[in-house]
């Protein structure tokens, strides 16, 4: 006659913690979009594959500093979360939306050329309008810059072109509002 002792340990909490840490490794905790680390990896992966075109959309939230200064950082965080919602709705795999800095985001859209990028921009504007109607109050406003990468150049070059166009859009936004950009 022998005795067998069995010990069971519930590891579900540990598995949940591991899954959360894995999520945080590639996602932004505030917006739930991909993070800068994922963006850099994806940029390298797309460039290694060498299959263009890839439309690149650089996005920046207008008026974030003003919202933070006037209403506190919770209001600024709410604007960032709303931007994340809009951008997440605009993309579907294999496209990705990443938060790469404070109020700066990048969408990578493999397979889209200028026309496809412009169609996505129009869809993004519609989503932005819907978001503003739903939330009321201070509207979410985004500066956008679109460029297309083609095989034979560095993908980073398209990101820089899109970034320059976004800053031009941002400059016009603040000129029309007669604000000093440093103050908003």
């Amino acid at each position: 006659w022998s005795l067998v002792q069995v010990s069971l340990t519930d590891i579900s909490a540990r598995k949940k913690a591991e899954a959360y840490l894995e999520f945080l490794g590639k996602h932004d905790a505030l917006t739930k979009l991909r993070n800068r680390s994922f963006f850099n990896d994806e940029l390298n992966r797309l460039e290694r594959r060498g299959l263009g075109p890839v439309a690149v959309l650089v996005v920046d939230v207008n008026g974030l500093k003003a919202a933070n200064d006037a209403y506190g950082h919770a209001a600024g965080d709410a604007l960032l979360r709303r931007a994340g919602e809009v951008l997440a709705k605009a993309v579907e795999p294999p496209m990705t939306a990443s938060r790469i800095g404070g109020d700066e985001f990048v969408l990578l859209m493999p397979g889209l050329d200028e026309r496809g990028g412009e169609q996505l921009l129009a869809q993004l504007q519609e989503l932005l309008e819907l978001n503003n109607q739903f939330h009321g109050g201070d509207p979410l406003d985004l500066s956008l810059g679109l460029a297309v990468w083609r095989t034979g150049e560095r993908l980073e070059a398209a990101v820089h072109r899109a970034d320059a166009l976004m800053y031009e859009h941002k400059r016009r936004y603040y000129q029309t509002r007669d604000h000093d950009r440093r103050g908003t």
Side-chain angles (χ1 to χ4, degrees):
W1 185 256
S2 77
L3 181 63
V4 175
Q5 186 174 8
V6 176
S7 175
L8 299 175
T9 305
D10 183 3
I11 62 168
S12 58
R14 188 178 85 204
K15 289 291 186 188
K16 283 181 183 177
E18 287 172 1
Y20 184 60
L21 286 174
E22 187 176 327
F23 176 85
L24 288 178
K26 296 292 179 182
H27 291 81
D28 173 61
L30 181 65
T31 64
K32 307 298 186 259
L33 296 178
R34 301 297 186 140
N35 63 16
R36 185 177 196 94
S37 175
F38 173 88
F39 167 75
N40 289 332
D41 290 347
E42 185 67 359
L43 210 59
N44 291 328
R45 187 187 74 78
L46 289 170
E47 191 165 73
R48 274 194 317 272
R49 282 184 51 215
L51 301 173
V54 175
V56 177
L57 182 65
V58 175
V59 180
D60 195 90
V61 177
N62 293 324
L64 181 65
K65 185 178 182 323
N68 282 336
D69 291 349
Y71 308 112
H73 288 278
D77 286 352
L79 278 178
L80 291 170
R81 275 192 295 278
R82 286 177 56 198
E85 291 170 11
V86 168
L87 298 174
K89 292 276 189 235
V91 298
E92 53 192 49
M95 301 175 194
T96 59
S98 302
R99 180 178 176 207
I100 62 164
D103 62 347
E104 196 162 333
F105 302 84
V106 178
L107 277 59
L108 294 174
M109 302 166 286
L112 290 189
D113 58 10
E114 287 85 355
R115 183 174 175 201
E118 292 292 336
Q119 289 172 339
L120 188 121
L121 271 178
Q123 180 184 357
L124 184 61
Q125 291 293 349
E126 290 174 15
L127 290 168
L128 188 58
E129 288 173 26
L130 284 172
N131 186 281
N132 282 329
Q133 288 171 11
F134 179 79
H135 285 281
D138 287 336
L140 175 63
D141 195 90
L142 305 173
S143 286
L144 309 165
L146 177 68
V148 175
W149 171 69
R150 299 199 183 281
T151 308
E153 73 171 335
R154 296 291 316 266
L155 185 47
E156 190 68 31
V159 174
H160 286 300
R161 286 196 312 275
D163 197 48
L165 290 168
M166 179 278 297
Y167 276 109
E168 177 60 27
H169 186 190
K170 194 168 207 53
R171 188 182 63 74
R172 285 193 312 269
Y173 169 85
Y174 285 105
Q175 280 181 341
T176 61
R177 279 145 189 84
D178 201 31
H179 283 123
D180 175 5
R181 184 165 178 270
R182 290 166 292 168
T184 56

